[in-house]
Amino acid sequence: MNPLASNGAATDANAATATAGVAAAVSERLIEGLWVVIPAYNEGLRIADVLADVLRFCQHVVVVDDASTDETAQRARAYPVWLVRHAINLGQGAALQTGITFALAQGAQYVVTFDADGQHQAADLPALLEPLLAGQAHYSLGSRFLGRTVGMPWVRRLLVYAARAFTYLFSGVRLTDAHNGLRAMTREGASRIHLTCNRMEHASEIVDQIVRSGLPFVEVPVTIRYSRETLRKGQRSSAALAIAARLLLERIVQ
Amino acid sequence: MTLFQWCFAPLCFLLAMILVFRTARRTGAAWRALLWALVWLVGGVIILWPDLTTLAATALGIGRGTDLVLYVGALVGLYAFQRLYGRTRRLENTITEVVRRQAIDRATRGPAGSQTPEDASYGP
């Protein structure tokens, strides 16, 4: 049964039934046509836990290994997931787009982007997907500020606030969390995304493309967990300036 | 004439001549080579008669000849940067598409039933 179709012409009495149907589909934990895209670069220590977590909620997972130099690919191969490997390191944006392209080619009806570093929780997937299944939106964006953060350094918090202001300035959209990698989109929404920024600038580019698609989007509370290892491996706070500069360059020159 | 004029004016005229002779042997994009030849020719003339830039600057309402040269140089440089950046990005996009296509064509799937969580059910 397609929950979107059942919500199409609901009367008041049928609306309650339709909403119950959506809740039931979400609570089944396995949603037909759901694909999770996990871009990964040197996440050999964390990928196994992430896959074990995600596979509790989804049977179609694609890991895009962005030319890792550790055992990320080997660890991923032990799980019933698709593994797509870039021959050279291109960046998270490129890996994300590769995963989205692959999932759509496999017939995905819903695509979720999920980080490989353990910051995201698969338990957030049902809430993330609910607006899509209810036909309320084509994009569902996770927000740590509507939800919860665990172990987030204050410097990182400031940077995310700055990213939020930057996004409002240049994309004209108010988001509580502009750079959250946990997102869900319908097939139509995913097909309107085509990232050309290979590195971290893709986070702003994807917001731009979501806004320009004209399709409805919502923010959903999610939990983001930081650990010493992920903070050490992740983007340096000082790199934020370089990312902002590249974004400005893209906008001015292109 | 100064040492600078002796060294660089002939160089500019030589580059202009080379481009004109090359144009005679090529079949396409002659206008581009001739344009560059003109640029080098103008460069050589300015080196030999720098006061010409002052005349031009005065005619345009700019104070000094060197300011005019600076402004024109900056504008041309910005234009060149934009063209080069755009070309670099297109090249990057092409490389990305090639790597992506190859990666997708070689996608593999892990063995079903291997190291699965205890409560997983994968449906039909």
Side-chain angles (χ1 to χ4, degrees):
Chain A
M1 184 188 79
N2 183 346
L4 286 173
S6 70
N7 289 341
T11 60
D12 282 345
N14 290 337
T17 310
T19 306
V22 166
V26 167
S27 69
E28 279 173 5
R29 298 199 306 177
L30 290 174
I31 295 165
E32 188 61 37
L34 170 63
W35 279 74
V36 176
V37 171
I38 305 178
Y41 177 65
N42 287 350
E43 297 290 358
L45 296 176
R46 286 166 284 277
I47 192 70
D49 289 340
V50 168
L51 290 177
D53 189 23
V54 170
L55 284 167
R56 292 188 296 122
F57 291 88
C58 177
Q59 60 180 332
H60 301 298
V61 177
V62 53
V63 174
V64 183
D65 175 25
D66 194 20
S68 298
T69 55
D70 67 357
E71 65 279 5
T72 299
Q74 291 86 330
R75 294 270 165 93
R77 276 202 191 98
Y79 288 81
V81 301
W82 284 97
L83 178 65
V84 176
R85 302 186 74 184
H86 285 164
I88 56 173
N89 178 257
L90 294 174
Q92 190 185 43
L96 210 59
Q97 184 60 54
T98 298
I100 292 171
T101 302
F102 183 83
L104 289 175
Q106 298 294 312
Q109 296 303 308
Y110 305 96
V111 177
V112 167
T113 63
F114 199 96
D115 284 355
D117 57 7
Q119 288 189 354
H120 297 156
Q121 323 304 316
D124 286 329
L125 291 185
L128 196 68
L129 288 159
E130 194 174 330
L132 273 54
L133 294 171
Q136 294 166 353
H138 282 270
Y139 301 101
S140 179
L141 309 177
S143 169
R144 77 198 82 190
F145 298 117
L146 294 178
R148 200 162 75 98
T149 61
V150 178
M152 185 179 193
W154 66 270
V155 174
R156 190 61 61 93
R157 187 176 290 270
L158 280 179
L159 280 170
V160 178
Y161 287 151
R164 193 161 76 178
F166 188 91
T167 300
Y168 176 60
L169 200 60
F170 287 96
S171 302
V173 63
R174 283 190 193 278
L175 291 174
T176 60
D177 191 352
H179 277 208
N180 193 315
L182 185 54
R183 314 171 190 91
M185 47 196 107
T186 59
R187 182 180 180 84
E188 184 173 355
S191 63
R192 305 267 189 117
I193 300 295
H194 190 79
L195 299 173
T196 58
C197 291
N198 286 353
R199 301 284 170 190
M200 292 310 294
E201 307 85 64
H202 77 274
S204 290
E205 189 188 20
I206 200 169
V207 171
D208 254 359
Q209 292 186 1
I210 285 171
V211 171
R212 274 194 265 124
S213 74
L215 299 175
F217 60 91
V218 296
E219 283 193 288
V220 171
V222 297
T223 299
I224 303 293
R225 289 182 193 279
Y226 292 85
S227 66
R228 206 175 293 129
E229 293 78 26
T230 59
L231 286 169
R232 199 182 310 125
K233 192 230 170 207
Q235 287 288 324
R236 294 191 314 277
S237 298
S238 57
L241 279 173
I243 293 168
R246 279 199 293 271
L247 269 168
L248 272 173
L249 198 58
E250 281 287 311
R251 283 181 178 275
I252 293 167
V253 179
Q254 293 263 64
Chain B
M1 276 182 36
T2 65
L3 182 63
F4 178 79
Q5 286 171 318
W6 276 115
C7 292
F8 286 94
L11 186 64
C12 290
F13 294 134
L14 183 65
L15 280 167
M17 276 171 54
I18 289 171
L19 284 167
V20 168
F21 283 131
R22 272 190 188 172
T23 305
R25 282 189 273 150
R26 278 188 190 161
T27 54
W31 67 267
R32 197 175 287 140
L34 287 173
L35 185 65
W36 276 107
L38 184 65
V39 167
W40 290 115
L41 194 65
V42 168
V45 166
I46 286 174
I47 289 171
L48 285 176
W49 294 284
D51 288 341
L52 286 175
T53 59
T54 306
L55 279 173
T58 307
L60 288 169
I62 299 168
R64 302 180 304 171
T66 47
D67 290 343
L68 175 63
V69 171
L70 193 66
Y71 295 158
V72 170
L75 288 172
V76 169
L78 271 172
Y79 173 71
F81 170 77
Q82 185 189 18
R83 289 290 302 268
L84 271 171
Y85 183 80
R87 203 167 180 181
T88 303
R89 287 289 282 119
R90 283 192 296 276
L91 195 61
E92 186 184 36
N93 290 345
T94 302
I95 292 170
T96 300
E97 282 302 317
V98 169
V99 171
R100 175 170 296 142
R101 190 45 43 199
Q102 185 191 60
I104 288 175
D105 287 347
R106 294 177 181 180
T108 56
R109 193 165 193 275
S114 62
Q115 286 191 286
T116 56
E118 288 176 17
D119 60 344
S121 62
Y122 297 102

